[in-house]
Each structure stands twice: as structure tokens, then as C-alpha cells.
Amino acid sequence: MATDEQLDSPEFQEHVKMELGKVRAEVEKNAPRVAELGQWPAYIQPGSLMDRIPKEDGKNAPGFDAGVACAMDLIPREMQELAARLHANYTKEAVMQVREELKGKNPDSQTAWWLAACSVCKEGEIDGPAFLKQVEDFKKLAADPEQRLESAEKSYDQMANAFTMKDGVPYGDKDGCIQGAYIAGYPFGTQYAANYGGLYFIGTYEDSLGLEDFKWSDEKDEKGRTKSGPVFGSKQFVKCVDEAEWKRAMEVVKAKLPFDTKNA
């Protein structure tokens, strides 16, 4: 592991910028293919994948995930469809595929590749060196079927145990809690994200959360970004500025997507 002195050296910083530039060029080139493969809705731009990569100017980003892995061809192309779809187009069919393939314990299933990439994803303010380490960590999983399956199973276990019930709905404060709710049988999930300024997120694999006419807060963060409303224009994934707004939105979602807790 590099020392603090090495990390701060001009040579290392230049190396990071160069490697990030290569990644950004590759992801930019392949993002349209990934979006088409995953049948992303028109309101989600392929270029949104670029937002996950730290910029060469030092600004942090959400970091590596399965969508980036597809765009970098770190997941074999014939195994990319599920990961591409789950990046920006959660469907009931895709969730059912995950549930079914989990039973097979096959390291070369699309589900195993997706979950292995999820195991590397940290969803936070990732800087350049941390992002490049995520890439190297996934390359090791890609080369080792046994480790890939082990990481996939751990990722699934984390998702499955990442949520509880709050006010009668699936709720968690850890990465993967929404996906865990889906896999467990719920039509939607919610998350409190302390690392995203204390925002609340709601997601579904159905066509819509039913919040198209919801009155969102117009509050913005210090970077001028809205704290409420659809994420990248999605009807399936939204953010709420605080718990009060989350509760108001959940009343709409529960009416739109009711579920039987006995069958979830």
C-alpha cells in the first residue's frame, strides 16, 4: 500500500489523472451500448454513467458499480444484460431472474457477475485513487470464479439483511437495502443515505412509483443540486429532502404499489 507521501507526490497524482482519463474515455465510448443493452428509458442518459467516475480535477464521485463494469467490459459481454438492466431499468423480470439464479450458485451466471460488481460498489464520495482500487478489486474477482461466487453470495446476504420495516414499509440505511427489499419480494424499497446529505431514496422495479404529480421541495444543496424529486428523471427512483417529505411520498407509493406482507 502506498504511503501518504507517495499518494501526495506529483508523479502519483499524474498517474491517477491519466488512468481516470482512460477509464472515462472507455466508459463514454461504451455507455450507449450498455444503455441499449439494458433498455434504459429515454429520460436516463447513457452519459449518467460518467458521473460515477471521479474527475481528473479531483472532484469525488459515487464510484464503481456494475454499470461501469459493463462499460469497461470487465464483465464478459454475454453476461452483461442483467447488470446493464439493473443499473437504470429495474424490471420485475430482472428481479425474478436474480431470485432464480441465486439458487444455482453458478459463478458464471449473470446474477453472480452483477452481485460481485455490487460487492465492490461503496456508493459514496469516492476519490480517484479509491476508484482505481475498486477497478483492480473487481478485476481480481473477474479472474477468480471461486472468489467471484463468494463475493456475490456475501453481497446478496448484505442486501437481504440491509433492510427492516419502518412505518410498514421496507427501509434501511445501508447500500443495497432497496435491492434487498426487491429480492425479498417487496415491490419497492426505501433508504436513508447519510452519505448523500441525509436524503431519503425510494425505488421500485415496477413501471412507476406514482409520484409524477407529487409536490417536491425546491431546496438545493451547496452545489446547486435539487434535494428532492426524480433521480435523473426516473419514475422508478426518487429522492426526498427529509423524513417528513419521505413520509408524504410513501403514502402515495403505498397506495400505488400495495403488497401483502404475508407473501413478501
Side-chain angles (χ1 to χ4, degrees):
M1 181 178 292
T3 64
D4 289 343
E5 184 177 348
Q6 290 171 321
L7 291 174
D8 291 335
S9 70
E11 293 81 8
F12 181 78
Q13 295 299 325
E14 188 59 35
H15 168 75
V16 169
K17 288 182 180 180
M18 182 176 67
E19 292 302 312
L20 288 176
K22 291 178 182 177
V23 171
R24 293 182 67 81
E26 186 172 17
V27 171
E28 184 174 25
K29 175 184 175 182
N30 287 319
R33 176 186 63 78
V34 175
E36 182 178 2
L37 180 65
Q39 296 183 308
W40 294 4
Y43 53 79
I44 298 185
Q45 298 299 312
S48 61
L49 268 180
M50 301 288 288
D51 295 334
R52 301 197 65 88
I53 306 168
K55 293 181 172 60
E56 291 89 332
D57 61 8
K59 290 183 179 179
N60 295 347
F64 184 88
D65 76 343
V68 174
C70 290
M72 294 182 69
D73 276 328
L74 299 180
I75 296 176
R77 289 214 173 177
E78 65 274 17
M79 292 290 113
Q80 288 184 12
E81 183 176 355
L82 179 68
R85 187 176 298 278
L86 292 179
H87 182 81
N89 183 24
Y90 267 86
T91 64
K92 185 176 294 186
E93 292 74 20
V95 172
M96 297 305 134
Q97 180 180 341
V98 171
R99 292 179 188 169
E100 188 60 33
E101 290 184 352
L102 278 170
K103 302 173 185 176
K105 294 185 177 295
N106 178 4
D108 291 316
S109 70
Q110 292 191 46
T111 292
W113 280 100
W114 171 66
L115 284 169
C118 290
S119 74
V120 176
C121 178
K122 301 304 178 188
E123 282 299 340
E125 290 292 308
I126 302 296
D127 63 15
F131 177 86
L132 295 176
K133 184 178 186 304
Q134 288 179 312
V135 171
E136 291 306 312
D137 288 345
F138 185 70
K139 286 180 178 179
K140 292 176 184 177
L141 296 180
D144 189 331
E146 186 175 334
Q147 285 295 316
R148 186 164 64 249
L149 180 59
E150 182 178 337
S151 292
E153 290 179 334
K154 285 182 179 178
S155 185
Y156 166 69
D157 287 341
Q158 289 172 353
M159 287 181 185
N161 293 295
F163 75 95
T164 57
M165 301 300 290
K166 176 177 178 176
D167 295 343
V169 301
Y171 169 90
D173 59 8
K174 298 181 177 65
D175 294 341
C177 63
I178 292 179
Q179 292 91 334
Y182 296 164
I183 296 170
Y186 295 93
F188 62 84
T190 71
Q191 179 183 2
Y192 170 73
N195 59 334
Y196 278 99
L199 300 182
Y200 289 75
F201 291 90
I202 310 170
T204 183
Y205 56 75
E206 299 288 358
D207 292 339
S208 168
L209 287 162
L211 294 168
E212 287 81 358
D213 297 323
F214 188 80
K215 178 64 175 176
W216 297 104
S217 162
D218 58 6
E219 188 174 338
K220 292 180 171 60
D221 65 15
E222 67 280 358
K223 296 181 180 179
R225 299 173 298 191
T226 59
K227 290 186 173 184
S228 301
V231 176
F232 294 123
S234 177
K235 298 178 182 179
Q236 298 175 297
F237 193 57
V238 302
K239 56 188 175 182
C240 303
V241 66
D242 55 26
E243 186 175 18
E245 186 173 66
W246 173 75
K247 287 183 175 181
R248 287 195 298 110
M250 285 314 308
E251 292 305 313
V252 178
V253 174
K254 286 189 289 186
K256 169 76 173 180
L257 302 173
F259 60 87
D260 183 349
T261 55
K262 295 180 181 177
N263 295 325

